[in-house]
Amino acid sequence: MSTDATPPEEPATEGTGDAARAGDEPRPASYYHLARAVLYREFLIFVRYPANAIGGIVVSLFFFGALFLGGQLLAGQALTDSIEGIVVGYFLWTLSVGAYSSVSNDIGSEVQWGTLERHITTPFGFAPVALLKGVAKVVRTFVTSAVILAAMLLITGTRLSLAPVTVVTVAGLSIVSVLGLGFAAGGVTVLYKRIGNWLNLLQFGFVALISAPVFDLPWTRVLPLAHGSAMLQRAMVDGVRLWEFPLADLALLVAVALGYLFGGYLVFQYATARARRLGVLGDY
């Protein structure tokens, strides 16, 4: 007589298989997960390549030192009387360059590396990914620019009003318009590939926008950075708080920021769509 050594099967518990299958099913990623991943990626790049981050701060301080010392030799007391405005303007310029290059240069690098298609095929679409990457770089730029600002105050012996809510709000809204310019430049980069010289030239145009005479020429307030620069000067030099600004000034600041961001987004969408029609999206 033969015996079967195979143990009898235990009855399956009702619902166990369904629960296992439910746990194995991938969950759709949300914009929260995307933002967290992009911010974490930017943090890793910052901490793993500290020499590059420190180098950027040193270069910015070198240019400011050359500007300050050279100005003292040429202008003397005239520079000393306007040094607060120069410090604030240079602080906003470093933020603007970081915000602009964060989108335009990053898209140019993706085109050159051949990884642009990965962003195109994501469930979120290329534009939201590029925007969140730009926002993450702006957050990092705020950190480095704050270090540069502290060093400039020590070098010049200047005192400024540094109300965090006012400075971050006004400066943040000011550079949102620059993000829009970066979007437009990134779209043109996708279409024409190598236009780095033209993109770098626009960075020097930020100096003219930051120093635009908004009180003598009121129409310049609708230009990127111009109105925000004037408000940031009043906030950091004169000590005006956010709630003390006229409502019309705040509304114009928000309108200019959103207007240029939306316009840059439209240019980006048009340029990428045209690159697809021409079949040059992945070419370099």
Side-chain angles (χ1 to χ4, degrees):
M1 182 177 62
S2 61
T3 59
D4 189 0
T6 304
E9 296 183 359
E10 296 181 0
T13 304
E14 185 178 357
T16 303
D18 295 337
R21 284 192 297 270
D24 294 338
E25 291 180 359
R27 296 180 179 179
S30 63
Y31 283 100
Y32 165 76
H33 297 93
L34 175 62
R36 186 178 64 179
V38 170
L39 287 171
Y40 182 65
R41 170 184 177 272
E42 196 63 32
F43 171 75
L44 289 180
I45 293 175
F46 184 78
V47 298
R48 290 183 180 178
Y49 303 98
N52 187 50
I54 296 174
I57 295 175
V58 171
V59 169
S60 297
L61 288 177
F62 172 80
F63 280 111
F64 177 77
L67 174 67
F68 177 66
L69 296 177
Q72 277 191 325
L73 293 176
L74 295 176
Q77 187 63 35
L79 178 72
T80 304
D81 294 339
S82 60
I83 190 61
E84 292 90 352
I86 294 176
V87 170
V88 175
Y90 195 83
F91 168 66
L92 184 58
W93 184 76
T94 58
L95 285 175
S96 304
V97 171
Y100 171 75
S101 61
S102 66
V103 178
S104 59
N105 291 350
D106 191 68
I107 293 175
S109 299
E110 298 288 350
V111 173
Q112 184 176 359
W113 297 335
T115 56
L116 186 66
E117 291 84 353
R118 297 182 181 179
H119 293 75
I120 297 293
T121 56
T122 60
F124 303 100
F126 187 29
V129 174
L131 178 61
L132 286 175
K133 290 175 71 175
V135 171
K137 291 182 182 296
V138 167
V139 173
R140 188 185 71 172
T141 303
F142 257 105
V143 175
T144 56
S145 295
V147 175
I148 295 172
L149 176 62
M152 289 191 296
L153 295 179
L154 290 176
I155 292 173
T156 60
T158 305
R159 291 186 177 182
L160 295 174
S161 177
L162 301 176
V165 175
T166 302
V167 172
V168 172
T169 302
V170 175
L173 288 173
S174 300
I175 62 177
V176 166
S177 58
V178 180
L179 276 178
L181 296 179
F183 254 114
V188 176
T189 302
V190 172
L191 191 57
Y192 295 105
K193 312 309 176 187
R194 303 193 64 170
I195 56 170
N197 291 330
W198 292 101
L199 298 182
N200 294 332
L201 182 63
L202 184 59
Q203 297 180 9
F204 295 98
F206 294 158
V207 177
L209 293 172
I210 290 173
S211 58
V214 295
F215 298 106
D216 298 330
L217 300 174
W219 62 268
T220 58
R221 293 179 182 271
V222 299
L223 297 176
L225 293 176
H227 182 56
S229 176
M231 292 183 62
L232 192 63
Q233 293 279 351
R234 294 181 60 193
M236 298 182 70
V237 177
D238 300 332
V240 179
R241 299 301 177 93
L242 183 64
W243 53 88
E244 296 174 345
F245 282 105
L247 185 59
D249 287 347
L250 294 174
L252 181 60
L253 181 65
V254 174
V256 170
L258 296 181
Y260 279 96
L261 181 62
F262 182 69
Y265 179 82
L266 291 180
V267 173
F268 178 83
Q269 291 288 71
Y270 171 79
T272 53
R274 180 171 174 78
R276 289 178 181 178
R277 290 196 301 268
L278 296 176
V280 297
L281 188 62
D283 294 343
Y284 184 74

